[in-house]
Amino acid sequence: MDLTQAMLAATANPPPTGIDVDQLITGERRRTRRLHAVTGVAVAAALAAGMVALPQLLPQKPSGQSPGLAPPSTVAAATRSPAACVTPSPTVKVLPGANVPAEPPLVPVTESCGAAIARLSAELTVLLPRLIPGVTFTNARDGSPLPARFEKVGGQQIGYTAGFNLPGGVMSVRTEAAGDIPAQFRAFAEKECGVPEAKCRPATIGGSELLIRNDVAGGYGIDVWAVRPDGTTLMALTRARDPGRPTPVTEQQLIDLVMTPELTMYP
Amino acid sequence: MSTEQAYRDYVAGNLDRLRRTAYLLCGDWHLADDLTSTVLVKLLRHWKRAAAMEHRDAYVRRMLMSAWLDERRRPWRRESSTDQLPDRTAAAADADRRLDVLSLLAGLPPRRRAVLVLRYFCDLSVEETAQALGCSEGTVKSQAARALESLRAGLEEGDPLWI
């Protein structure tokens, strides 16, 4: 008998295997999901840390105003309509859900960019003192006081965003033409929040589907996304300027803001 | 055919061969299953790449060899003290011969054992064995010669396993 035959004989009667391919595939899927969730949280934390750190790194304004999210006063001119309709530089993008893939809107947007910016800015200027009373808002773009200044979002999506500096932190609001119906977003939110590491929860309010993520970025931020039946996606976020400090806006105030009918893409 | 179905088909067609190869390397069916599982999980992670490969079996063999050599490098593997001997059941007929070849293989260093398994069980050429182990053909030849020499030293002339 040669070595080959001896080896074949030695393995001639294997016991039944305990390997379950279905279990291997399920386990690998679970591992991948966790990895994605942890990566998402890490990216969100990095973004939030960047948002909080950026204003402090920018130069102090000569007038003594607190530093804003955007540097030089020359930028201020760029925020006024119709220039605000120009897609801004990614360096001044202040928004939650930046990783939402661009999808064509379900409902076509007919309102012009300039008209939408004027309307939304006027609505938000009225809404902010009503929903979040006792807080002084300044536009993140140029440090100017209210009225609010919306501008067009970057990328492929049809939407508008406004960022603010508040005492103790920042806040931004973004409204977009939705690419999903609420039920689709509900499925996404349940999947996204299916792992404990995600620290978020889905919610349904008056036909709108919400994803509420708090304790993001190491415990000093809140994100609220809403897909509403009228075809508008609204996202609002807030971050405390220092880790461990309370956010300048509460979760309920952000929810109230994203549920406001006035901030629609379809007036 | 979906990606997952292609993976399942591949595993169904090759699981038995992989287990047997792993068993000859480690001499224990439980550890052989562990090694095979490790390889199958890695294969699943890289299935898109592996599915497009011309020599997929060689790729899988190489993963198995790496898994086996990694396993042997773990420090806790070097200790095997126990106060109770495990129960062993042996099917009477070929048990002696099977234990003979396994105990002979067990006496070899891991890399030499891998060379013998690849050359005489998987029926690979020197070149293919070198690729699977990530070494030169000269190394394969010398390792095989030394491994066979060690086996002969453990046998008496006329033994059924005399090579």
Side-chain angles (χ1 to χ4, degrees), chain A residues 46 65 102 215 236:
Chain A
Q65 286 176 321
D215 201 29

Side-chain angles (χ1 to χ4, degrees), chain A residues 151-248:
Chain A
E151 59 189 59
K152 192 174 183 310
V153 300
Q156 305 284 319
Q157 280 146 332
I158 303 173
Y160 307 97
T161 184
F164 302 95
N165 287 320
L166 291 71
V170 293
M171 188 193 91
S172 81
V173 181
R174 174 174 164 134
T175 179
E176 283 177 13
D180 290 329
I181 60 171
Q184 288 172 315
F185 185 72
R186 171 81 185 184
F188 163 78
E190 283 175 348
K191 189 179 166 193
E192 184 82 0
C193 302
V195 290
E197 294 89 340
K199 292 182 178 171
C200 67
R201 66 177 199 277
T204 306
I205 302 176
S208 298
E209 294 295 344
L210 278 70
L211 187 155
I212 302 159
R213 193 192 303 275
N214 57 28
D215 201 29
V216 295
Y220 57 105
I222 305 169
D223 295 354
V224 178
W225 302 7
V227 174
R228 308 193 317 199
D230 68 350
T232 302
T233 295
L234 259 160
M235 292 165 275
L237 74 75
T238 183
R239 297 285 183 273
R241 201 170 294 282
D242 301 311
R245 303 296 298 275
T247 53

Side-chain angles (χ1 to χ4, degrees), chain A residues 1 3-4 6-8 10-12 14-19 21-22 24-25 28-29 31, chain B residues 4 8 11 19-20 23-24 29 33 36-37 40-41 44-45 97-98 101 120-121 160-161:
Chain A
M1 177 182 278
L3 190 54
T4 302
M7 286 179 173
L8 288 172
T11 59
T17 179
I19 297 172
V21 179
D22 289 330
L24 287 181
I25 292 173
E28 181 58 18
R29 275 198 198 127
R31 189 194 73 92
Chain B
E4 189 178 306
R8 285 176 189 279
V11 172
R19 284 184 75 218
R20 288 167 194 257
Y23 174 65
L24 284 174
W29 282 110
D33 275 355
T36 309
S37 295
L40 292 181
V41 169
L44 178 58
R45 280 177 203 162
R97 193 179 301 143
R98 183 163 65 230
V101 74
Y120 293 95
F121 182 71
L161 279 177

